[in-house]
Amino acid sequence: MSLGAIKSGLPLAGVALRGCGSALPSQSLSNDQLSGRVDTSDEWIRSRTGIRRRRVLGAGEPLQGLAAAAGRAAIAHAGWSADSLDLVLVATSSPDDLFGMAPAVQAGIGADRAVAFDLTAACSGFLFALVTAAQYLRSGAMRRALVVGADQLSSWVDWDDRRTCVLFGDGAAAIAIEACEPEQDGLCGFRMRSDGRRGAVLQLPRQSGDEPLVAGARWQPGGFSPIHMNGQEVYKFAVRDVPALLRELLEETGTDAASVDWLVLHQANQRILDAVAERLGIPTDRALSNLAEYGNTSAATIPLMLDEAVRDGRIRSGHLIASAGFGAGLSWGAALMRWQGPGNVPA
Ligand code: ACO
């Protein structure tokens, strides 16, 4: 498929999901351990969120290393060489470098031919990045892309704020996608939304600073305040806007909810997962969940869940997956995908 094909009106390329991979910090922190730091309990956290433990990057474990390991696993799963990649797109809100972490991930993978850049959309980041990368493949501009979701929100929570610190964990996961014949298209549809008017309910805002610079000029020192969240408003947003968007997508693509094999939602809270599934009329046992082990790893949750379920054989080639990301911005997005990659083949 070439740009010439688009100009001549030939159908655009399809997008096939070919491989997945993930990488997690070795350090695991249980609810009981956290209750030694803040006034909380395993019972409170489990009953309100479904989370039992989370992984946290320790000293000497940079996020970019985790992201590169996830990327290497995904391209090995697809059976590709690193130099066949045209694009490495890293969804993250917590990069090791504010100028962008993707080039370091590209170098860590050895994807020397690929262009690499970051995309920031909080917990919608992976879904937005997947849709963005898919457009390069569809247009014929690129052939193979690696979409990585990686976040280290442990660096940005206030570990003394029990309302937020119990929710998040660190992780990285990736999906390898490539252009294919239009008839084999595995990205059946998508929808994306933003509403900056409601942004204040979930923020990791820049710290306001004001220092004298030289006579007659001042400057604003850099830095960020910890995550600030109105949990109840985020909850209401998630259980109202996310199923509405998924329903629109199912209608637009003529898809019956009964034909959806799996719901792979951003893993924020078990109660949100159950409520979204119920509102769509999808049995809750088809709404995949690994929150108990990892908490909310932000941009990593969707590919992390997908990777786990592909490798343990729940998601099989040909299965239809309805996915949705949602979070700060506010931002939310949904995609309908058909998995075409291998299952648990040795890397
Ligand atoms: N342990 C014990 N008590 C707690 C804790 C805790 N970890 N956190 C809050 N509480 C207390 C509060 O202080 C409050 O006590 P009070 O009544 O004495 O003041 C009480 O529990 C109830 O607090 P609420 O905030 O009303 O609790 P709620 O039932 O709403 O549950 C929760 C809070 C779990 C955060 C819920 O609102 C939620 O899941 N919201 C969605 C959050 C989310 O998913 N955020 C991530 C979005 S994705 C992204 O983009 C990053």
Side-chain angles (χ1 to χ4, degrees), residues 156-180:
W156 298 107
V157 288
D158 175 352
W159 284 104
D160 295 316
D161 176 7
R162 68 177 183 176
R163 291 165 303 149
T164 52
C165 75
V166 301
L167 302 176
F168 299 102
D170 303 335
I175 305 283
I177 60 174
E178 75 176 338
C180 65

Side-chain angles (χ1 to χ4, degrees), residues 38-41 44-45 48-49 122-124 153 162-164 166-168 202 227 229-235 266 268-269 271-272 296 298 326-328:
V38 285
D39 182 14
T40 189
S41 65
W44 194 98
I45 302 170
R48 302 286 178 121
T49 70
C123 300
S124 308
L153 292 186
R162 68 177 183 176
R163 291 165 303 149
T164 52
V166 301
L167 302 176
F168 299 102
L202 181 54
I227 292 173
M229 182 181 77
N230 180 331
Q232 292 192 358
E233 287 304 315
V234 174
Y235 186 88
H266 168 53
N269 179 315
R271 291 191 298 164
I272 294 175
N296 179 347
S298 196
F326 50 91

Side-chain angles (χ1 to χ4, degrees), residues 17-98:
L17 287 74
R18 297 291 197 215
C20 51
S22 55
L24 290 155
S26 49
Q27 193 173 241
S28 179
L29 199 63
S30 71
N31 291 345
D32 280 336
Q33 284 174 290
L34 260 188
S35 67
R37 166 106 190 190
V38 285
D39 182 14
T40 189
S41 65
D42 178 54
E43 200 282 327
W44 194 98
I45 302 170
R46 267 194 297 111
S47 62
R48 302 286 178 121
T49 70
I51 298 166
R52 289 171 184 267
R53 53 188 73 82
R54 70 285 295 143
R55 301 289 182 95
V56 175
L57 282 163
E61 285 187 294
L63 181 64
Q64 64 192 48
L66 211 61
R72 284 193 298 271
I75 58 174
H77 191 222
W80 299 351
S81 64
D83 63 6
S84 71
L85 287 174
D86 301 305
L87 171 67
V88 174
L89 188 48
V90 178
T92 184
S93 308
S94 47
D96 292 339
D97 184 335
L98 270 188

